[in-house]
Amino acid sequence: MAGSEQPLRRHQGVRHALLPVHRAQPACAHHHAAALFRLREVGGADASPADARSPWSARRAPPLVNPDIARDYVDIDDVVDACLLAATRPPAEPGAVYNVGTEVQTSLRDLVAIARRVLDIAAEPAWGSMPERSWDTSVWVADSRAIRTALGWRPRYGVEDGFRRLVEWMRGEPGVCRYYEERQRAVG
């Protein structure tokens, strides 16, 4: 990988090909059916390796907020599947809005337990070492009924499966690992 270029991720082509799906107004102006996606916390192989790589890879816990903070984590491959379905089965109604999530809420406590187990980390979490953000909440779960009904989309991966796939992918891509390690060192 040359210099500090970001590695190409396999889902980037899909994202660019589906730009009209994301930008509903221009698509509707040209009489194309378009959908708007509200994505939940996206993770998994190719999504955001830095989140799973550092500082956990150094066997230390990152700064963490309250362990009861929760999210609905959806795997990047499930998001790509949703986009491809929308591209191949346009919504019956232009401007349809779809929540893309698993409908499963995972607390930060549970996510950290998964990371510690998968990465074999003995370090105790540093709960409360990072200030909570204004959007942090203990209830955050998607209602994906609309996309399930209209497009037949279903998530294939749970949060632990997705995290394990991310770790496996990172271990098989040393160039990607080096990129994110260099980026982490540069940031501090």
Side-chain angles (χ1 to χ4, degrees), residues 94-153:
V97 178
Y98 299 126
N99 292 320
V100 180
T102 63
E103 297 185 343
V104 175
Q105 180 171 291
T106 303
S107 70
L108 190 54
R109 174 184 288 107
D110 293 339
L111 188 63
V112 167
I114 290 168
R116 290 179 72 202
R117 185 171 49 253
V118 170
L119 298 172
D120 193 30
I121 295 170
E124 289 296 320
W127 298 118
S129 58
M130 178 180 157
E132 289 186 27
R133 286 94 22 123
S134 62
W135 63 86
D136 283 335
T137 180
S138 61
V139 178
W140 190 316
V141 63
D143 178 353
S144 300
R145 285 179 291 185
I147 193 169
R148 289 173 191 258
T149 301
L151 302 179
W153 176 84

Side-chain angles (χ1 to χ4, degrees), residues 66-94:
N66 178 331
D68 296 323
I69 299 301
R71 298 285 187 270
D72 181 339
Y73 296 94
V74 60
D75 191 88
I76 187 64
D77 286 337
D78 289 330
V79 171
V80 170
D81 289 347
C83 292
L84 291 172
L85 278 171
T88 59
R89 298 181 200 164
E93 170 183 339

